[in-house]
């Protein structure tokens, strides 16, 4: 508390009857803020826990409410595939696809290239000029082009698939453990229920389904490469940094490879523990003088030690990832139990997450705070048992602002002095955030893949793929 009291923040304290003892916070800064495994899944049914509390991008929101599904064909998956294919047909009719896609399948060019990517990637990167390198320049440019065409979808959340595809790549990659060398994006383990049934991955089967038509047209790319590349394209398509792509990830052939890496099947309630929890260790039995719930320091320790330090990130990279990742998408009661968007423009890269966290007034709410409904902010009321911060007040403060929320794990960036210094820096310099988020996200998606990754695809960027 002593360390926090020295921070340059102003506190506006309000005490709602529903959350006695917890204040809303105005965290004002003194800094001026101007290759080809078949899609497979275990045939047995599993119970999905719809209380995921993870980080990174928007959640899939069209997934159905039932909590039991068959992982080999979950309810809603076929609908998502149909919607994706219908959207692809629409694009084809308007002339959006290149000629190479009219056959329905875009094979790698040349027999040698086809052989190079239709088998497991070599353990070491091939020399420049190898068939795989020749494939990358043309084949991956075509994939980038098609992914870019799929990003804008008026039938999806806020008109964009980018947030949910960014979340897919983040959660696929964020399982990496530096000490054991397990986890990470290689393998595309979320195709199997041992990883897919983690409560933090609720709803992501629809994101994977949207990419199925692309996978069928480009069978030379692995699922694990496709998920990462889709996120890169989504970030750039929405005004974020261009991230150079390194292909070569290899899809696991069966769930046994996941189980060998430490996953359990069926998944225990609460997940496998490698993805973060937004309220972990937080208690609501008391609050400190600044209105922060007890246990928030332990939540900071969870973010550091149990999640990001475990993967090899430092504090500045952590803040860059969250500032860049949580500018995208929104949470939904049916998936994570939380509700609302972090920022006013959730399909556009910016440093709005950082600036709003520092400049706006934030109030802790729960499902019982029905006053949110009365002021047109029902979308910010979380599911029963969950708590989050919102930019609203029962006395009317924030009524004219866009409906926005922050998770407790977000607020920790402003509460913890070592995190806050980086938050203030990114709030003051959007270009710096773009550079450092791009570097940190690339690092995240390449963790655990060094033995299989190939050289970067030449001349990355959507402009080069057009």
């Amino acid at each position: 508390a002593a360390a926090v009291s020295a921070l340059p923040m102003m506190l506006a304290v309000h005490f709602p009857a529903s959350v006695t003892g917890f204040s809303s916070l105005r965290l004002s800064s003194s800094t001026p803020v101007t290759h080809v495994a078949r899609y497979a899944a275990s045939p047995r049914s599993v119970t999905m826990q719809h209380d995921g509390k993870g980080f990174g991008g928007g959640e899939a929101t069209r997934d159905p409410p039932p909590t039991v599904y068959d992982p080999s064909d979950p309810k809603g998956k076929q609908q998502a595939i149909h919607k994706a294919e219908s959207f692809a047909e629409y694009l084809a009719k308007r002339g959006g696809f290149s000629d190479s896609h009219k056959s329905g399948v875009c094979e790698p060019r040349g027999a040698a290239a086809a052989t190079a990517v239709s088998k497991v990637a070599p353990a070491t990167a091939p020399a420049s000029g190898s068939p795989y390198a020749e494939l990358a320049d043309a084949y991956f440019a075509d994939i980038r082009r098609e992914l870019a065409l799929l990003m804008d979808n008026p039938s999806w959340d806020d008109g964009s698939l980018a947030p949910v595809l960014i979340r897919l790549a983040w959660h696929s990659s964020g399982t990496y453990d530096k000490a054991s060398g397990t986890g990470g994006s290689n393998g595309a383990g979320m195709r199997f229920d041992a990883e897919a049934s983690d409560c933090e991955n609720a709803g992501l089967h629809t994101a994977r389904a949207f990419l199925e038509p692309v996978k069928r047209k480009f069978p030379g790319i692995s699922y694990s490469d496709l998920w990462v590349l889709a996120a890169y394209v989504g970030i750039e398509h929405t005004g974020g940094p261009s991230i150079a792509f390194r292909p070569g990830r290899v899809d696991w052939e069966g769930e046994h490879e996941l189980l060998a890496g430490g996953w359990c099947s069926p998944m225990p309630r609460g997940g496998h523990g490698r993805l973060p929890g937004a309220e972990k260790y937080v208690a609501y039995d008391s609050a400190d003088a600044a209105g922060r719930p007890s246990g928030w320091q332990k939540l900071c320790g969870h973010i550091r030690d149990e999640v990001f330090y475990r993967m090899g990130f430092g504090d500045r990279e952590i803040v860059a990832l969250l500032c860049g990742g949580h500018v995208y998408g929104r949470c939904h009661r049916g998936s994570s139990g939380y509700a609302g968007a972090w920022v006013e423009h959730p399909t556009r890269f910016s440093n709005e997450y950082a600036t709003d966290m520092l400049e706006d007034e934030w109030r802790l709410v729960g499902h019982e705070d029905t006053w949110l409904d009365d002021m047109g902010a029902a979308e910010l009321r979380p599911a029963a048992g969950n708590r989050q911060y919102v930019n609203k007040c029962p006395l009317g403060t924030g009524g004219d602002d866009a409906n926005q929320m922050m998770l407790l794990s977000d607020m920790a960036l402003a509460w913890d002095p070592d995190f806050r210094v980086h938050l203030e820096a990114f709030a003051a310099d959007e270009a710096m955030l773009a550079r450092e988020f791009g570097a940190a996200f690339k690092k995240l998606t390449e963790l655990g893949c060094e033995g299989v990754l190939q050289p970067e695809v030449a001349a990355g960027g959507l402009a080069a793929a057009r």
Side-chain angles (χ1 to χ4, degrees):
V4 173
S5 65
L7 294 175
M9 64 171 68
M10 298 183 296
L11 305 178
V13 182
H14 305 281
F15 296 95
S18 59
V19 194
T20 304
F22 297 99
S23 68
S24 62
L25 307 179
R26 181 182 297 279
L27 301 172
S28 298
S29 169
S30 61
T31 303
V33 180
T34 35
H35 142 83
V36 185
R38 297 181 61 187
Y39 190 86
S42 172
R44 62 182 179 278
S45 296
V46 298
T47 300
M48 278 293 294
Q49 305 294 344
H50 289 286
D51 58 352
K53 303 174 182 179
F55 292 151
E59 297 166 359
T61 62
R62 312 296 181 185
D63 51 320
T67 58
V68 177
Y69 75 96
D70 177 358
S72 66
D73 186 18
K75 293 179 179 179
K77 175 190 169 189
Q78 291 302 326
Q79 292 179 356
I81 291 177
H82 175 72
K83 183 180 290 186
E85 290 180 325
S86 297
F87 191 60
E89 290 171 2
Y90 162 74
L91 291 172
K93 287 178 181 178
R94 75 174 193 184
F97 292 127
S98 63
D99 291 342
S100 62
H101 303 157
K102 292 180 179 177
S103 65
V105 176
C106 185
E107 294 288 355
R109 299 185 176 103
T115 302
V117 293
S118 60
K119 63 182 181 181
V120 174
T124 58
S128 177
S130 70
Y132 198 99
E134 292 173 3
L135 166 75
D137 290 337
Y139 196 64
F140 287 103
D142 282 348
I143 299 173
R144 274 184 176 269
R145 183 182 298 107
E146 186 134 350
L147 288 169
L149 288 170
L150 291 175
M151 289 298 158
D152 297 326
N153 188 334
S155 70
W156 203 252
D157 257 5
D158 303 299
S160 177
L161 294 177
V164 73
L165 295 176
I166 293 168
R167 179 174 176 245
L168 173 62
W170 185 312
H171 281 222
S172 174
S173 306
T175 58
Y176 180 69
D177 178 62
K178 180 176 62 174
S180 65
T182 58
S185 62
N186 193 54
M190 213 183 297
R191 293 170 299 134
F192 308 106
D193 64 349
E195 185 172 343
S197 60
D198 190 316
C199 57
E200 310 298 349
N201 293 328
L204 284 177
H205 65 284
T206 53
R208 300 191 298 274
F210 265 107
L211 294 176
E212 275 295 301
V214 180
K215 180 67 171 78
R216 288 200 292 269
K217 286 175 178 162
F218 296 91
I221 188 172
S222 65
Y223 280 104
S224 42
D225 270 348
L226 179 61
W227 297 353
V228 171
L229 183 56
Y232 287 9
V233 172
I235 290 169
E236 185 175 355
H237 185 77
T238 53
S242 175
I243 304 175
F245 177 64
R246 294 180 64 192
R249 295 167 186 81
V250 181
D251 294 332
W252 288 327
E253 295 182 358
E255 190 176 55
H256 65 279
E257 295 177 86
L258 262 177
L259 301 179
W263 270 252
C264 300
S265 185
M267 178 67 63
R269 184 177 180 88
H272 53 58
R274 296 195 181 191
L275 296 171
E279 298 180 73
K280 193 169 185 179
Y281 302 126
V282 174
Y284 299 99
D285 52 356
S286 63
D288 63 16
R292 297 165 298 203
S294 60
W296 71 266
Q297 298 97 329
K298 291 182 179 179
L299 173 61
C300 291
H302 164 63
I303 295 169
R304 285 190 172 99
D305 300 328
E306 297 178 2
V307 181
F308 289 100
Y309 285 7
R310 187 203 72 224
M311 292 188 283
F313 290 104
D315 281 3
R316 189 172 182 87
E317 292 172 308
I318 295 171
V319 179
L321 281 169
L322 293 177
C323 285
H326 279 185
V327 78
Y328 290 110
R330 59 180 62 241
C331 295
H332 300 273
R333 296 185 198 91
S335 292
S336 68
Y338 301 101
W342 287 272
V343 299
E344 183 176 359
H345 304 289
T347 62
R348 183 190 312 166
F349 182 84
S350 71
N351 64 344
E352 185 186 352
Y353 168 92
T355 58
D356 286 356
M357 190 186 301
L358 293 169
E359 294 181 339
D360 291 357
E361 184 176 314
W362 298 97
R363 186 179 195 84
L364 186 67
V365 299
H367 182 71
E368 65 277 11
D369 286 291
T370 55
W371 55 266
L372 287 165
D373 303 17
D374 299 333
M375 61 188 307
E379 65 174 318
L380 296 182
R381 192 150 57 91
N386 289 30
R387 294 200 181 279
Q388 64 186 50
Y389 280 83
V390 300
N391 63 339
K392 306 295 175 183
C393 175
L395 300 179
T397 302
D400 296 331
D401 297 332
N403 294 336
Q404 296 172 229
M405 67 91 207
M406 292 284 172
L407 304 175
L408 273 82
S409 51
D410 297 309
M411 300 300 291
L413 301 186
W415 295 341
D416 182 274
D418 293 327
F419 281 148
R420 185 185 176 95
V421 65
H422 305 301
L423 183 70
E424 291 176 345
F426 293 133
D429 193 335
E430 183 175 303
M432 179 171 65
L433 172 61
R435 291 192 303 271
E436 298 194 27
F437 169 70
F441 196 81
K442 179 178 174 64
K443 175 179 175 178
L444 172 68
T445 55
E446 292 182 355
L447 290 172
C449 303
E450 283 305 317
V452 296
L453 287 180
Q454 313 301 323
E456 291 179 354
V457 174
L462 295 181
R466 292 191 179 107

